[in-house]
Amino acid sequence: MGEAIDTAAADRRRAILRAAVVVFAEKGYHGCRIADVAQEAGVAYGLVYHYFRNKEELLHSVFAEGWKRFSSRLAELTAAEVPLREKVGAIVDFAFEAYRHDPRSMRVLILEVARTPAFRDSAKRTAFEDAIGLTGDLIERARARGEVRAGIDSYLAACILFGAVEILLTAFVLGQLDPESDADVARARSTAVEIFVGGVGS
Amino acid sequence: MGEAIDTAAADRRRAILRAAVVVFAEKGYHGCRIADVAQEAGVAYGLVYHYFRNKEELLHSVFAEGWKRFSSRLAELTAAEVPLREKVGAIVDFAFEAYRHDPRSMRVLILEVARTPAFRDSAKRTAFEDAIGLTGDLIERARARGEVRAGIDSYLAACILFGAVEILLTAFVLGQLDPESDADVARARSTAVEIFVGGVGS
Amino acid sequence: MGEAIDTAAADRRRAILRAAVVVFAEKGYHGCRIADVAQEAGVAYGLVYHYFRNKEELLHSVFAEGWKRFSSRLAELTAAEVPLREKVGAIVDFAFEAYRHDPRSMRVLILEVARTPAFRDSAKRTAFEDAIGLTGDLIERARARGEVRAGIDSYLAACILFGAVEILLTAFVLGQLDPESDADVARARSTAVEIFVGGVGS
Amino acid sequence: MGEAIDTAAADRRRAILRAAVVVFAEKGYHGCRIADVAQEAGVAYGLVYHYFRNKEELLHSVFAEGWKRFSSRLAELTAAEVPLREKVGAIVDFAFEAYRHDPRSMRVLILEVARTPAFRDSAKRTAFEDAIGLTGDLIERARARGEVRAGIDSYLAACILFGAVEILLTAFVLGQLDPESDADVARARSTAVEIFVGGVGS
DNA sequence: AATGAATGAGCGTTCATTCAT
DNA sequence: CATGAATGAACGCTCATTCAT
């Protein structure tokens, strides 16, 4: 029974979190009120403060929740024994897939979390740095197998891969690319992988 | 004399704009008050409203000012008759140089303008799209000269180049790379160019 | 068994009341939350509402509890057949002793109850007035025995005695006098009694 | 002209302060909103924050304003060369007169300021202590002229005088005495002076 | 009886914006 | 042009109180 209650509480918490994703995605962090989140979640706004200390912590939690999935997937990929090109493809696929599956979450991750001043420090940066670290490791391993050419810094390369993925996601988010169009998605994916692995040059 | 006054007015306007750059860079668009900008500019806050309709227009103007230089440089590069690798290097150099020269402006461009909801539409996006269009044209021309391999979409490639540059600038802005270190700058530049043109693969 | 339960209930009630004294003394009536009182009492905050209608009634009850002892002692003193100087001394002693014994209760009585707007009417004032009435009676009796000089209004004198005691207690509460110092206590006591009975004049 | 503006600003500030006195007196510090003060002053509530940092500072200022008059009068009295009985009478008169002249200010001083937790420290206590110090000095001088009997501590005596005055004012404030009744006022005054100087004893 | 999730009135405070001087 | 007093919408947050369990 205690568990049932805990679960109910956890459900509520998750409901508010989901509502926050929706609302942040729609109006941005600064453009929405706690009351909007509460309304979207179908609860009184006071309740939000039972589950989250304040608005900022709500955003932090949205991030933490979303990031967890991404970084665990990344860790898997790093360990896998497949060619670099496939790994890079998998990272891009995963990001694109995540966006197709829950565009609003990605929207918040891409447009809000990463750019909120409060997030420019501590935990958040660490999370991004961890992801880059993992990806850098992944590239280092590929180098050990002779898959990476000389003169390429693995960690800067990881950065660049993320930059590429992020800007393509942004293009999807902002509507320059259509996530519903398989052609758009395939083209974006292959261009990202091809450039990252083989460059644009002939 | 009318001109003298106009010039004085223009100076004032520029002073406020400069102050806005400083303050936006320091505390972010949402984290600062018009009064902060005015104080930084050394004027009464009411005066800001003589030169700019409102806070948002101030941010728009900051962007427009900063972007002008960048896009005119881009247009030059597009027209120049040099190999693709050099053009890409020039774009990266220009971005990095701009950051070294006026890190606060870049900070605002990178961390504020691009991510403010209000900017996710209208003029701002057009500006970014123009830049990508120009860069895409540049790549198309290179393709015409046989410098670009098949299967690469020029405009997505332009996106990716911008994503790469942006994330490296972000690394500088957030302190993961040191803009004062020539080694860091050179490594970032060469990695960006090498990956973009030749990929990481061996 | 009904009694056992009643007793348990009464214990709970008393525990909450004691907790209220502690918390009110520490942070003031307006400066604390029901939740603070509950936590101090080691119960869930909802339970407070089983025993007290609301926060204000809690304060009323704290007062009533504390005042009961004081006024019954006062009634005893009134009846006793001892010289006025001794009676006054006993009142002062009693107040000081009460403070040494339970400074937090006195703190609440002195700093909170007497000054809460809600207490400026009804029951509370009556209680104070009763005390003053009793003390006035006490002085009247002394007058009947020739111990009070002409031109002194007994009830105003009672007021003044209370004012003197209260301000000395305040001095203890606020730390200007040290309740642990026997010298301070003795001096305060004798000064109060001497002035009240004999005045400062030579 | 600068002066005219300063004066206008000072007038506004004073108007808000006066309004605060009225409203605090009526509903208590905790029982009123900034908006009430503003309405009473006939200004927008935002304006209150131009002149006072926050609600607490407003109360502090109300106190400071009211106390200034009282303590300067006290300093005069201390210096005067009149018998102790007259000085004590003058202190009591001044306090009563102040109450008759501006009962709401006194109400705030007596019922709010002295009892607000935030005021139980720093500046406020110092002010009270200063007043007691001055009055203690006054009694010490009287002692030097042989007007005070042995065994009386001047500073405790000063405390007690203040306690007596305060409680009588409280009686006026709470309606147990009628400040409009000359008889009540005269009786209260003479009782206070007589007890303080000569005691109740015969 | 006991718990604490849920509610929502209420309020302090901020700050963009206006406008009289 | 320049100033900054004045306005008031807006919002985050608190916390007393209720009530289902």
Side-chain angles (χ1 to χ4, degrees), chain C residues 13-89:
Chain C
R13 195 191 139 90
R14 229 169 304 135
I16 292 172
L17 223 37
R18 253 196 307 273
V21 166
V22 172
V23 173
F24 288 168
E26 213 153 290
K27 312 163 78 165
Y29 175 75
H30 284 101
C32 76
R33 299 166 299 171
I34 287 288
D36 295 329
V37 174
Q39 187 174 47
E40 175 73 31
V43 301
Y45 57 82
L47 195 59
V48 174
Y49 289 88
H50 272 276
Y51 294 100
F52 304 91
R53 199 195 324 278
N54 52 34
K55 196 183 179 185
E56 193 179 319
E57 195 192 284
L58 190 53
L59 183 56
H60 273 275
S61 300
V62 165
F63 167 81
E65 205 69 12
W67 194 254
K68 219 178 342 181
R69 280 199 308 272
F70 186 70
S71 59
S72 70
R73 176 70 178 137
L74 206 54
E76 273 178 41
L77 283 177
T78 309
E81 286 293 336
V82 294
L84 178 61
R85 182 179 303 265
E86 276 181 41
K87 286 192 177 181
V88 171

Side-chain angles (χ1 to χ4, degrees), chain B residues 2 9 22 38 49 58 61 63 65 78 80 95 98 104 111 126 129 137 148 170-171 180:
Chain B
V22 172
Y49 289 88
L58 190 53
S61 301
F63 167 81
E65 204 71 11
T78 309
R104 288 185 299 208
L111 293 178
T126 308
E129 282 162 18
D137 293 346
V148 177
T170 303
E180 296 305 314

Side-chain angles (χ1 to χ4, degrees), chain A residues 67 71 74 123-137:
Chain A
W67 194 253
S71 59
L74 206 55
K124 195 56 26 34
R125 250 163 65 186
T126 307
F128 280 116
E129 282 164 18
D130 285 354
I132 286 177
L134 282 173
T135 309
D137 293 345

Side-chain angles (χ1 to χ4, degrees), chain C residues 24-31 84-85 88 107 110-112 114-115 117 120 125 128-129 132 139 146-153 156-160 162-164 166-168 171 174-177 184 187-188 190-202, chain D residues 24-31 84-85 88 107 110-112 114-115 117 120 125 129 132 139 146-153 156-160 162-164 166-168 171 173-177 184 187-188 190-202:
Chain C
F24 288 168
E26 213 153 290
K27 312 163 78 165
Y29 175 75
H30 284 101
L84 178 61
R85 182 179 303 265
V88 171
R107 195 185 177 94
I110 296 290
L111 293 179
E112 296 298 325
R115 295 118 205 252
R120 300 217 266 267
R125 249 160 67 186
F128 278 115
E129 282 162 18
I132 286 176
I139 296 172
E147 292 182 286
V148 175
R149 65 188 172 106
I152 297 294
D153 179 302
L156 287 176
C159 267
I160 286 171
F162 276 38
E166 198 209 20
I167 212 162
L168 291 173
L174 297 185
Q176 284 129 350
L177 293 177
D184 273 14
R187 197 151 35 89
S190 96
T191 306
V193 174
E194 287 309 313
I195 290 181
F196 187 73
V197 179
V200 299
S202 58
Chain D
F24 288 167
E26 213 154 289
K27 313 164 80 163
Y29 175 74
H30 289 285
L84 178 61
R85 182 179 302 264
V88 170
R107 196 185 176 93
I110 296 290
L111 293 179
E112 297 298 326
R115 292 112 205 262
R120 299 216 267 267
R125 249 163 68 188
E129 281 163 19
I132 286 178
I139 296 172
E147 293 183 281
V148 176
R149 65 187 173 105
I152 297 293
D153 179 304
L156 287 175
C159 268
I160 286 171
F162 276 40
E166 197 208 21
I167 212 161
L168 291 173
V173 166
L174 297 185
Q176 283 130 348
L177 294 176
D184 273 14
R187 197 153 35 88
S190 95
T191 307
V193 174
E194 287 309 314
I195 292 182
F196 186 73
V197 178
V200 299
S202 58

Side-chain angles (χ1 to χ4, degrees), chain A residues 27-28 30 84 107 111-112 115 117 120 125 129 146-149 152-153 156-157 159-160 162-164 166-168 174 176-177 187-188 191-192 194-202, chain B residues 27 30 84 107 111-112 114-115 117 120 125 129 146-149 152-153 156-157 159-160 162-164 166-168 174 176-177 187-188 191-192 194-202:
Chain A
K27 312 164 80 163
H30 285 102
L84 178 61
R107 198 187 174 92
L111 293 179
E112 296 299 324
R115 294 115 204 260
R120 299 217 266 266
R125 250 163 65 186
E129 282 164 18
E147 293 183 284
V148 177
R149 65 186 172 109
I152 298 293
D153 179 304
L156 288 175
C159 269
I160 286 172
F162 276 38
E166 198 209 20
I167 213 160
L168 291 173
L174 296 184
Q176 284 130 349
L177 294 177
R187 200 151 34 87
T191 306
E194 287 309 313
I195 290 181
F196 187 72
V197 179
V200 299
S202 56
Chain B
K27 313 164 79 165
H30 289 286
L84 177 62
R107 196 186 177 93
L111 293 178
E112 296 299 323
R115 297 122 203 250
R120 300 217 268 266
R125 247 161 70 188
E129 282 162 18
E147 293 182 284
V148 177
R149 65 187 171 109
I152 298 293
D153 180 302
L156 287 176
C159 268
I160 286 172
F162 277 38
E166 197 208 22
I167 212 162
L168 290 173
L174 297 184
Q176 283 130 350
L177 293 177
R187 199 151 33 89
T191 307
E194 287 309 314
I195 290 180
F196 187 73
V197 178
V200 300
S202 57

Side-chain angles (χ1 to χ4, degrees), chain B residues 26-96:
Chain B
E26 212 154 289
K27 313 164 79 165
Y29 176 74
H30 289 286
C32 76
R33 300 166 298 174
I34 286 288
D36 296 328
V37 174
Q39 188 175 47
E40 176 72 32
V43 301
Y45 57 82
L47 194 59
V48 174
Y49 289 88
H50 272 275
Y51 293 100
F52 303 92
R53 199 197 323 280
N54 53 32
K55 195 183 178 185
E56 194 179 320
E57 194 192 285
L58 190 53
L59 183 56
H60 272 275
S61 301
V62 165
F63 167 81
E65 204 71 11
W67 194 253
K68 219 179 342 181
R69 280 198 308 271
F70 186 69
S71 58
S72 68
R73 175 71 177 134
L74 206 55
E76 274 177 42
L77 283 176
T78 309
E81 286 293 337
V82 295
L84 177 62
R85 181 179 303 263
E86 274 180 45
K87 285 192 178 181
V88 170
I91 290 175
V92 175
D93 281 343
F94 176 66
F96 284 14

Side-chain angles (χ1 to χ4, degrees), chain D residues 80-141:
Chain D
E81 286 292 335
V82 294
L84 178 61
R85 182 179 302 264
E86 275 181 43
K87 286 192 176 179
V88 170
I91 290 174
V92 175
D93 281 345
F94 176 66
F96 284 14
E97 198 43 52
Y99 180 69
R100 288 184 101 158
H101 171 260
D102 186 0
R104 287 185 298 207
S105 284
M106 293 306 279
R107 196 185 176 93
V108 176
L109 243 52
I110 296 290
L111 293 179
E112 297 298 326
V113 176
R115 292 112 205 262
T116 298
F119 276 102
R120 299 216 267 267
D121 42 61
S122 67
K124 196 55 28 32
R125 249 163 68 188
T126 307
F128 279 116
E129 281 163 19
D130 285 355
I132 286 178
L134 282 173
T135 310
D137 292 347
L138 180 155
I139 296 172
E140 271 301 306
R141 287 184 182 214

